[in-house]
Amino acid sequence: MKNKIIIILLMCLCTPCFAQFTLVKERDRSIHEMELPTELIEEIKRESYNLSDVEIINYSVNKTSDLLEYSFKESLDFQAVSKAHCVTYSKLCSTICNIAFEHNNINSSAKCVVGYVYLGKTNLCSLGASIFKKYSRYFINHDFVEINGYNYTILVDPTLYDILKMDLKSITKHGQ
């Protein structure tokens, strides 16, 4: 198992020269927000004060990474770093984004979406399911965040940011 993880990480780190990571949305996730402790909400408002929409997105991804650690088994406790999988990463990141957008009067919104991560033309979810058969149900698809602003849609992956420290965003600009 450990050797398989090393092979995938090496492939992911060495391949960007030849291919690009992309996020492909399949559908919206029905549950978007999560309830956060009041202290954390106040901290988010304080730390995101006067940030632009793009700065809020980056802040939210970083904050999510500070609060969570990837695991197949969840244990949420906002008093310490919590263990979580991609669904919770996306719910937390979108919640942080929306709190900060609202607090800064920015007309943007974030939500959880379900889709796939591609490396070039390779669906990494399918690849993961075939390699890690014991955990294949965790690789059926992948959750990430969709942010809709005035003239853009950004797909951002807080889970892969935390695991690989890779800022993975897919940006679509709409009519100017």
Side-chain angles (χ1 to χ4, degrees), residues 104-124:
N104 288 283
N105 296 312
I106 294 174
N107 191 19
S108 294
S109 63
K111 63 182 177 181
C112 301
V113 297
V114 180
Y116 304 98
V117 180
Y118 280 84
L119 179 60
K121 293 182 181 183
T122 303
N123 181 333
L124 295 181

Side-chain angles (χ1 to χ4, degrees), residues 35-47 59 63 67 78-79 99:
E35 194 171 316
L36 301 181
T38 305
E39 304 82 40
L40 181 55
I41 293 170
E42 293 307 314
E43 182 179 311
I44 292 165
K45 289 178 180 179
R46 209 174 37 256
E47 291 176 353
Y59 165 80
K63 188 70 170 175
L67 294 169
F78 289 110
Q79 303 303 315
I99 290 168

